[in-house]
Amino acid sequence: MHQLLEELRQKQQKLLLGGGLDKLQKQHEKGKLGVWERILYLIDEGTDYIEIGSFAGDGQYEEHGGCTNGGVVIVLGYIKGRMCVVVANDATVKAGAWFPITCKKNLRAQEIAMENNLPIVYLVDSAGVFLPMQDEIFPDKEHFGRIFRNNAKLSSMGIPQIAAIMGSCVAGGAYLPIMSDYALIVQDTGSVFLAGSYLVKSSIGEVIDNEALGGAKTHCEISGVTDNQYPDDESCLDAIKNIIDKFAGVDRFPYSRTTSIPPEMAPETIYQILPVDRLKPYNMENILKAIVDEGSLEEYKKDYGKTLICALARIDGWAVGIVANQRQIVKASKAGGSTEMQMGGVIYSDSADKAARFIMNCNQQKIPLVFFQDITGFMVGSRSEQGGIIKDGAKMVNAMANSVVPKFTFIIGNSYGAGNYAMCGKAYDPRLIYAWPTAQIAVMSGAAAGKTLLQIHESALKSKNISLVDSDKKELLEKMEKQYNQQLSPYYAASRLWVDGVIDPVETRKIISLGIAAASHQRDLPRYNVGIIQT
């Protein structure tokens, strides 16, 4: 576990450097702050914040030199005591150009603002679309144009948007700040135009420099495109704080909160409790005791459906409903005595039925839900099929999918197949979803996938009267498992925004607390309707 955490810390340190120290120094020489310097200046000092979409783009676009952190940093934090979403381009990464993952990450930020009714601040410093990949970012429904559509939707929902043009803002990207409610610009470094000076010259023959074309003086004094101009980054960020300081308060949705109590066990004890070896059992209840407020855990149907823990608890004072997979050795009765068997990571009919009922209760009582995933899937075999596992699994998925209270998901171990869905994977709209360094996300394990793919390959060769010797089988199996295991990595998932990031387990309490605080700004919950559920 400590090796995995050290790998996480090294990767996080690399992210903070963006495109590198040399490029950050060039930012400073232009009188500009780095992306993290801007964010930390803007948010309230000493308050908690969480990053959304860290590791986006990790390992992708290598043929183009990579795109560290997707070229944009997104933070959920407090500005003048008001919870906000901050979206800041990192100009040290390809001049802040938009790659496909950059677009996906920005859309995720807008989604969070919409879901939780949170003001959103854009710190714009971007060269626009990365042209070699324009076909993967420009025309589709979830591409670049969706961002401007969301600008309009956010405005219609009454959600404030503030944009600060602190560097380049080119072409279609120019609509983002100007469709915001406030558009500020920094003198000398900020510029916004549909076409830069080179394109203007080639298109209509006009010779003009970028500052006269779209600088602060032009847009504040002549065009009126931007509201006000500021001499440097700091004064522009101060203006954003002053604007947010005047926003009216929000009527909070009444999620229950009491005084926060530390967990019974120190969060760091998770390192010893959770085995890296996926075949070793552990007691999920001990994990929860290192996360929830001491004395608050109240299990639902404790002695029924034991492969799932369903429990009410408090986390940092907030009332929550917890659904967590249980991987432990239990005693099972059999003829002539009893035997020990591992039941972890599998959902049986009884546990699916229990979870469905518990989720409905939490929606009725307006209690946010937290899912802890360590699941290999639903139980298979004739006994399970005849017992109606598909029906009971569908019941659980139905109850979870239609849930209207905020949902938060943490992948702490396996997240395989339909188990990912039932335990509120990304497709089921958790408000936030994070992975621990021990997470693995795929249809099945690497070993199982390797054997399945080998059988398919052997069958195809057999139809051509070709057979494999044992040494060839072993080599092919190892190759398949290696390729598959690379895709199991939590960083592979985070790179593609299947999760919002990879975190140290001790950060789990903070993320849940801030997530519910953000959700408390939501004006109304829709009516909970689970549709047709067979009982």
Side-chain angles (χ1 to χ4, degrees):
M1 177 66 86
H2 285 288
Q3 289 177 343
L4 292 174
L5 291 171
E6 182 57 31
E7 179 188 11
L8 171 62
R9 293 186 190 102
Q10 290 179 8
K11 284 178 172 288
Q12 288 173 332
Q13 289 298 317
K14 187 176 179 181
L15 289 186
L16 292 175
L17 297 176
L21 287 174
D22 55 335
K23 293 183 179 178
L24 180 58
Q25 181 59 35
K26 290 179 180 178
Q27 287 271 100
H28 291 163
E29 290 171 359
K30 295 176 182 176
K32 298 164 68 175
L33 297 175
V35 64
W36 273 107
E37 292 169 327
R38 288 169 175 168
I39 290 171
L40 294 176
Y41 186 94
L42 183 61
I43 63 177
D44 294 346
E45 186 176 355
T47 59
D48 283 336
Y49 65 89
I50 52 178
E51 186 179 357
I52 308 292
S54 56
F55 303 108
D58 183 54
Q60 297 190 64
Y61 316 118
E62 297 300 327
E63 69 276 20
H64 299 295
C67 183
T68 303
N69 212 10
V72 62
V73 178
I74 297 169
V75 162
L76 183 66
Y78 290 96
I79 303 173
K80 288 293 184 178
R82 179 71 180 266
M83 179 81 77
C84 297
V85 178
V86 181
V87 181
N89 298 115
D90 188 349
T92 69
V93 179
K94 298 291 183 180
W98 289 62
F99 282 68
I101 197 65
T102 316
C103 184
K104 189 173 182 179
K105 193 168 175 179
N106 275 263
L107 289 172
R108 176 67 176 136
Q110 291 179 321
E111 178 185 42
I112 289 171
M114 288 177 172
E115 283 181 330
N116 299 294
N117 190 37
L118 297 177
I120 186 166
V121 177
Y122 307 100
L123 306 182
V124 183
D125 194 347
S126 171
V129 169
F130 185 67
L131 291 178
M133 301 189 74
Q134 64 85 28
D135 62 319
E136 297 182 46
I137 187 173
F138 169 64
D140 209 348
K141 180 178 179 180
E142 300 296 331
H143 283 180
F144 202 46
R146 188 78 171 183
I147 290 168
F148 314 133
R149 175 263 190 193
N150 286 351
N151 283 140
K153 288 290 185 182
L154 283 156
S155 183
S156 71
M157 295 168 68
I159 297 174
Q161 298 175 86
I162 304 173
I165 302 163
M166 312 183 85
S168 298
C169 185
V170 185
Y175 288 106
L176 185 147
I178 309 311
M179 290 186 73
S180 299
D181 302 297
Y182 298 88
L184 318 180
I185 189 168
V186 179
Q187 295 168 359
D188 301 323
T189 57
S191 59
V192 54
F193 34 65
L194 293 180
S197 56
Y198 292 120
L199 184 55
V200 167
K201 182 178 180 180
S202 64
S203 299
I204 63 174
E206 181 182 4
V207 178
I208 189 171
D209 63 70
N210 283 338
E211 183 62 28
L213 182 65
K217 189 177 182 67
T218 295
H219 285 311
C220 286
E221 299 179 17
I222 301 173
S223 72
V225 166
T226 51
D227 303 336
N228 290 304
Q229 53 187 316
Y230 302 89
D232 50 40
D233 283 7
E234 290 89 346
S235 58
C236 185
L237 295 169
D238 285 335
I240 294 174
K241 294 180 185 181
N242 283 332
I243 291 169
I244 293 174
D245 186 48
K246 310 305 184 297
F247 289 168
V250 177
D251 293 329
R252 299 248 167 165
F253 194 81
Y255 299 122
S256 172
R257 191 178 196 186
T258 59
T259 302
S260 176
I261 300 173
E264 176 183 338
M265 302 166 65
E268 290 80 6
T269 59
I270 292 172
Y271 305 156
Q272 284 74 47
I273 298 170
L274 182 63
V276 175
D277 186 343
R278 292 169 194 281
L279 297 179
K280 288 185 177 180
Y282 66 93
N283 192 341
M284 175 63 81
E285 189 174 336
N286 290 331
I287 298 279
L288 298 180
K289 286 179 180 178
I291 294 173
V292 307
D293 294 6
E294 183 176 3
S296 69
L297 195 69
E298 184 65 35
E299 266 198 70
Y300 174 76
K301 293 183 180 287
K302 183 176 183 178
D303 298 320
Y304 178 73
K306 291 185 177 181
T307 60
L308 270 180
I309 291 177
C310 296
L312 297 176
R314 289 193 181 273
I315 294 177
D316 196 27
W318 293 104
V320 297
I322 293 171
V323 182
N325 299 115
Q326 178 71 292
R327 172 161 46 113
Q328 68 177 125
I329 299 294
V330 299
K331 287 187 177 181
S333 299
K334 61 178 292 187
S338 63
T339 185
E340 289 190 340
M341 61 181 292
Q342 182 170 308
M343 294 176 63
V346 179
I347 297 179
Y348 289 76
S349 286
D350 54 358
S351 43
D353 174 70
K354 176 172 79 170
R357 292 170 181 266
F358 179 73
I359 289 167
M360 287 189 280
N361 285 352
C362 288
N363 274 270
Q364 181 195 59
Q365 293 134 31
K366 297 181 174 58
I367 300 172
L369 286 161
V370 182
F371 294 82
F372 291 97
Q373 289 195 15
D374 187 359
I375 181 168
T376 53
F378 287 89
M379 191 60 192
V380 297
S382 61
R383 184 175 177 181
S384 293
E385 297 293 357
Q386 291 167 13
I389 184 64
I390 296 175
K391 170 174 64 70
D392 291 318
K395 189 192 305 182
M396 178 180 173
V397 172
N398 196 326
M400 182 275 302
N402 283 293
S403 177
V404 296
V405 296
K407 303 190 293 280
F408 305 90
T409 302
F410 295 87
I411 302 171
I412 73 172
N414 300 325
S415 180
Y416 296 157
N420 171 282
Y421 301 159
M423 293 293 292
C424 196
K426 183 63 181 290
Y428 293 85
D429 298 322
R431 297 294 177 100
L432 296 171
I433 176 170
Y434 283 87
W436 290 3
T438 45
Q440 288 191 350
I441 305 167
V443 171
M444 62 184 74
S445 70
K451 291 174 184 176
T452 303
L453 291 170
L454 179 61
Q455 290 174 10
I456 294 171
H457 188 68
E458 279 188 288
S459 178
L461 291 177
K462 190 175 180 179
S463 66
K464 300 176 183 178
N465 295 320
I466 302 173
S467 59
L468 291 173
V469 297
D470 289 344
S471 59
D472 289 339
K473 288 181 183 179
K474 182 180 179 182
E475 182 180 349
L476 188 58
L477 180 61
E478 288 176 351
K479 180 180 177 182
M480 290 176 173
E481 285 187 8
K482 182 179 179 181
Q483 178 183 351
Y484 199 88
N485 282 332
Q486 288 175 341
Q487 297 177 1
L488 285 170
S489 164
Y491 299 104
Y492 188 92
S495 173
R496 289 150 181 81
L497 289 179
W498 300 347
V499 295
D500 289 320
V502 183
I503 60 165
D504 187 320
V506 301
E507 294 184 82
T508 304
R509 263 176 72 89
K510 179 185 76 173
I511 288 172
I512 294 169
S513 180
L514 281 175
I516 299 176
S520 297
H521 292 76
Q522 185 178 2
R523 292 193 178 105
D524 297 296
L525 281 181
R527 181 175 177 270
Y528 181 57
N529 185 350
V530 295
I532 299 173
I533 288 187
Q534 295 178 350
T535 58

